[in-house]
Amino acid sequence: MPKRSQYANIGGVFFWGGVMRKILLMCALICAPFWAAAQETVSLAVGTDFTIYPTARPTTATPDRVEIVYFFWYGSPWAREIDRELRVWAKTRPYSVKLLPAPVIFNARHEIFGARVFFALDLLGKEEEISPLLLEAVSQKQLDFNSVPAVIQWMEQRGIPKKQFLDALDDPRTKAHTVHVKDVMKTYGVQSVPTVVINGKYNVRASNKVPPQRVLQVVKILTQRVSEVSQKR
C-alpha cells in the first residue's frame, strides 16, 4: 500500500488538506562565527552566492538534522548537472541531512504534468530511483515529455507497470500535492531551478553568476556550517 508522502508538510503546507502549518524557527543561527568558518576555505558572498530569508521559512529541521529542499524540473539541464551528486552527497554526510527534492510549476502544461509524475513516483516509493533517470532523459531530449504514451512506455521499460503508474498519477494525494506546489514555491520565493533552501533560511539558486557546480559547492559549505553550529548549541 502506498505510504504517506514525506511531502505532506513541506514548506509548512499540509498538502492533504491544503492547511498551512507554520513552524517558525525560535532562534536564528549565530552568523559571525558561521561565515568566518565558511570563509576559511571558500569565500561566500551574501546576495550573490546565496540569500538569507528575513524571516525563516517553515521547516522540519531538528538540532541533529539539516533540512534541504531542492527545487528542480525534469527538463532543466542545470538541475541535471547537480542532481546525482547532490543526492549521493546528502546520503554520505557524517551528519544527518534530510533532502527533499520538489518539482516546480511556473505555468507550463508540461511542468504541471511533471509535478504529477514526481508525486506519483513518490507515492509508489520510486522517486529516488527513477527521478534522476527521468531528469537525464528529459533534459537531454531523449524522451518527449509532452507525450503521455511515451512517458508510460518509458516507465514500463524501468519496471513500473502502466496501470500502476496511471493509478498513481490519478491518486487524490498526487493531485493534492500538485495543486499546492505553487504555494510551496511562493513560500520559498522560488524563481528558477535549481534552487536549494537550507533549513528554511538560506536560499541558493543557479544563475549566470552562480553556475550549477557553484550552487553545489555553496550548498555543501552552508550545510556543513549549519550542522556545526547546531551541534554546539
Side-chain angles (χ1 to χ4, degrees):
M1 182 175 181
K3 62 179 180 179
R4 176 170 175 172
S5 172
Q6 64 181 333
Y7 296 92
N9 295 320
I10 186 174
V13 177
F14 196 147
F15 281 121
W16 287 52
V19 179
M20 296 298 291
R21 181 179 298 173
K22 300 296 184 180
I23 310 172
L24 298 178
L25 294 178
M26 300 303 294
C27 301
L29 293 176
I30 303 172
C31 293
F34 182 95
W35 305 127
Q39 290 174 356
E40 289 176 4
T41 53
V42 176
S43 177
L44 301 180
V46 179
T48 300
D49 289 312
F50 66 97
T51 57
I52 303 175
Y53 293 111
T55 302
R57 291 340 189 222
T59 178
T60 60
T62 61
D64 61 347
R65 184 184 65 192
V66 181
E67 179 190 87
I68 298 177
V69 184
Y70 157 51
F71 292 94
F72 77 105
W73 174 58
Y74 287 117
S76 169
W78 278 4
R80 185 186 75 242
E81 287 190 40
I82 72 169
D83 186 89
R84 287 182 182 275
E85 186 173 347
L86 180 63
R87 290 172 183 264
V88 171
W89 168 81
K91 286 182 176 181
T92 56
R93 296 304 85 213
Y95 48 85
S96 179
V97 171
K98 181 178 182 180
L99 178 66
L100 292 172
V104 299
I105 298 175
F106 290 114
N107 287 318
R109 177 179 173 275
H110 58 268
E111 290 171 346
I112 296 174
F113 177 61
R116 287 184 64 192
V117 168
F118 174 89
F119 289 119
L121 290 173
D122 180 63
L123 190 65
L124 294 171
K126 294 287 188 177
E127 189 282 321
E128 187 176 346
E129 173 190 350
I130 299 297
S131 273
L133 302 176
L134 186 57
L135 194 159
E136 188 82 16
V138 176
S139 64
Q140 296 206 68
K141 303 187 185 305
Q142 298 169 351
L143 172 65
D144 182 3
F145 212 45
N146 291 312
S147 170
V148 176
V151 173
I152 291 173
Q153 182 182 39
W154 189 91
M155 292 292 177
E156 287 183 308
Q157 292 171 348
R158 282 146 190 85
I160 301 179
K162 177 179 178 178
K163 185 179 185 307
Q164 188 180 62
F165 178 60
L166 291 177
D167 286 348
L169 273 180
D170 290 332
D171 190 284
R173 289 164 289 185
T174 296
K175 293 178 179 179
H177 290 342
T178 302
V179 167
H180 289 288
V181 162
K182 286 191 176 182
D183 291 332
V184 177
M185 291 174 61
K186 184 177 180 180
T187 296
Y188 288 108
V190 177
Q191 299 176 346
S192 62
V193 292
T195 290
V196 183
V197 178
I198 303 165
N199 263 27
K201 187 168 184 178
Y202 305 99
N203 180 307
V204 187
R205 70 183 184 91
S207 67
N208 290 330
K209 292 183 178 180
V210 187
Q213 287 303 314
R214 177 64 173 176
V215 168
L216 198 57
Q217 183 182 43
V218 173
V219 168
K220 290 179 179 180
I221 293 171
L222 293 182
T223 302
Q224 179 179 344
R225 301 312 172 184
V226 167
S227 176
E228 290 176 353
V229 171
S230 296
Q231 292 174 10
K232 290 179 182 178
R233 290 180 176 178

